[in-house]
Every structure is written in C-alpha cells, then in structure tokens.
Amino acid sequence: MTIKLLAFDLDGTAILNHKELPEENRQALEDAAAQGILLVPATGRMLDFLPAPVLALGASYAITANGGAVYRLPDREPVIQNLIPNEKARDVLRVLEDYDIYIEYYSNGKAITRRDMPSRARTHYALPESKWGFVDGKDYTLVDSLSAMLEETGLRPEKINLPYLKDHQKRELWARLDALGGLRLTSSISDNLEINSAQAHKGGALLALAQQLGLKPDELMAIGDNGNDVTMLEAAGCSVAVADGSAEARAAAKFGTAPHDQNGLAQAVRRFALGQGMS
C-alpha cells in the first residue's frame, strides 16, 4: 500500500537537542512532501512549542499534547480534541499539591503555569540543564493559583505536564493518578510524566485524522521512540522505531531504523515511504 500520511515524533526521533532538525531529516521529509505525502508532526508538545524548522516543513496538521488536540496548520484550528474534564483536572491537582514539583497545563496550544514557577525552575525545582529549554522557550500564561484558575475558568486541559520528577516521585504519582481513573499516563522522557484524558493518545488521534481525510491505516506511516508513541506505532500500517528508542516503542513498531542522532528518521522515510534502497 502506498504511504499517504507520515506521522513523526519530534524529541528523540526527528530533532536533536530539542530544537534542531538535521539536514538529512529535513531533506527526506521535504522529499516525502514533494511526493504528495502529508507530513504530520506528532508530539507531546503544545502547538506553540513546535520548533521553527518543523513548522517550516509546511505540514497541514499537527498532533499535539499526545493527541489531546490535533490542529490544522497554519490557521491553528483544532480539528480533534480529547480534553481532560475540568473536575478530573481538579482531582489531579489535589494529588499534585502533595508534592513540591513543577506543573504545566496545555490549553488552546499554549502553556499555563503558576507565576513563580519559571523563575525557580533551575533553583528550587532543580530542573537539570537538559530541561531548561523546555521552560525558557515557552511563552507562559502565568496565574497566581492553579486551583483558582481551574475553578474560575472551567479549564479542560489538553495535557498536564510534569517536566521533571525524581524517581520516587514518579513512581508514587503514577500509582496515585492511575487510581483516579479516566486518565492516560505516559512518559516521553524517563524523568517526566504526562497526563492526558484516557481518550487522548497519538494513535487514536492519528486514526481519527486519517478518517477525516479518507485514509486507511495501511496508508499511514509512523515513526517514534518512546512510551507516548506506542499507540501511534500500533495504529499505523507501517511503523518504525529508532534504534535508541525505548524497549516498548521498539516492541510496538513493525520495523526499526538507525538511532535518532544517526539520521534514523531519514533512513526510514526513504526506505518505507519513498521506496528507496529496497531490494
């Protein structure tokens, strides 16, 4: 079956250092687009945090917040939403308030956090240097109280993001949040925790978008590297995991490719989407 849509994860798959799109990957994606293949970034990131080189590819859609919202680009209109109900978001916050941790909410493609958190990310919250870009690069909406914000606005988040947790915090929170029910918990990096509605995941968003576009699963290709990519890798007719991806991602994918920092995405696109270098 001919590939008509290519969904690709960003961090750990398509990009380096959380913002750089290697030339080999860029060229392979542009070649795919030139062949009429729809490019769809599929990420845990919010819409406003998509890297400029990825936006420059001219993709028509983006799966964001792990499937919490799918946006049509460039008009930023949501075409699919799987939001956390407000009451459930408030239940989550009551658990999170037992921990002194950095918290973000994604809504309408933007990030919201408490007013004091960004300035204390490096010091009080001890985010490692590898995480600094995830705070410094965001144009936050700042609020004085997260609980008041949820109560007063009725916010239904696309995702609740905990960018950095110690091992024991992650284990405890995972168990406590899982017990609430109605949530999907994933990690895109070993020391983070991403909280979505149970209905929100990349695979479901990919299939819903494909249905809107009149495409079959066999016409979809997906490539990823980590836990939040598993459902997408399972959904696509052609799925590829980079060699340095997690064990669960590699188990979910039908094929493998080189590590992400060795142009694994470019190799996979050329082999499976463009049919180059195949016997």
Side-chain angles (χ1 to χ4, degrees):
M1 182 70 75
T2 301
I3 299 299
K4 296 184 178 180
L5 185 154
L6 169 60
F8 56 99
D9 174 58
L10 300 183
D11 298 282
T13 302
I15 63 177
L16 300 178
N17 302 317
H18 306 301
K19 60 183 179 181
E20 302 167 10
L21 182 64
E23 174 61 22
E24 290 83 354
N25 289 349
R26 183 194 65 77
Q27 189 62 61
L29 290 168
E30 289 187 350
D31 288 350
Q35 293 297 314
I37 297 173
L38 291 175
L39 302 182
V40 179
T43 178
R45 294 178 179 226
M46 61 191 187
L47 179 61
D48 273 6
F49 201 50
L50 296 182
V54 173
L55 290 173
L57 293 169
S60 298
Y61 299 90
I63 297 171
T64 69
N66 292 332
V70 180
Y71 286 92
R72 185 174 61 237
L73 305 175
D75 65 6
R76 298 175 56 91
E77 283 297 314
V79 296
I80 297 165
Q81 291 182 303
N82 293 295
L83 307 178
I84 303 172
N86 178 262
E87 185 56 43
K88 183 64 67 175
R90 292 161 70 179
D91 290 342
V92 170
L93 183 58
R94 283 189 278 271
V95 173
L96 300 185
E97 286 177 331
D98 289 340
Y99 301 82
D100 189 16
I101 56 176
Y102 198 100
I103 306 169
E104 302 174 329
Y105 293 80
Y106 294 175
S107 178
N108 296 316
K110 300 177 180 296
I112 304 167
T113 195
R114 202 174 66 207
R115 191 172 306 279
D116 63 305
M117 286 190 171
S119 63
R120 300 199 298 162
R122 291 169 168 76
T123 54
H124 181 80
Y125 295 106
L127 268 64
E129 186 174 357
S130 61
K131 305 278 186 178
W132 293 354
F134 286 100
V135 172
D136 299 342
K138 289 175 179 170
D139 183 15
Y140 284 107
T141 296
L142 301 175
V143 299
D144 293 321
S145 166
L146 296 175
S147 59
M149 179 270 296
L150 290 174
E151 182 176 355
E152 293 168 5
T153 67
L155 181 77
R156 295 185 298 147
E158 296 170 349
K159 188 177 90 169
I160 303 169
N161 190 49
L162 311 178
Y164 177 64
L165 297 171
K166 296 177 181 178
D167 287 344
H168 73 279
Q169 292 173 329
K170 183 174 178 178
R171 288 193 300 271
E172 291 176 12
L173 279 167
W174 197 294
R176 292 183 65 184
L177 294 172
D178 189 52
L180 291 178
L183 299 170
R184 181 175 294 270
L185 309 176
T186 56
S187 293
S188 59
I189 305 172
S190 62
D191 54 8
N192 84 338
L193 180 57
E194 304 177 24
I195 306 163
N196 285 92
S197 161
Q199 290 72 42
H201 52 89
K202 290 185 182 183
L206 175 60
L207 291 177
L209 177 61
Q211 184 176 34
Q212 287 190 12
L213 299 174
L215 301 178
K216 301 174 182 178
D218 284 351
E219 296 173 317
L220 311 177
M221 176 177 169
I223 179 167
D225 78 304
N226 221 317
N228 64 338
D229 298 317
V230 167
T231 59
M232 179 173 73
L233 296 172
E234 293 172 339
C238 176
S239 58
V240 186
V242 292
D244 54 339
S246 70
E248 59 181 337
R250 287 184 279 111
K254 297 176 178 66
F255 304 102
T257 188
H260 86 286
D261 58 358
Q262 296 179 30
N263 303 312
L265 178 137
Q267 293 178 32
V269 171
R270 294 200 177 284
R271 178 181 177 189
F272 298 108
L274 299 178
Q276 299 174 1
M278 299 179 67
S279 57

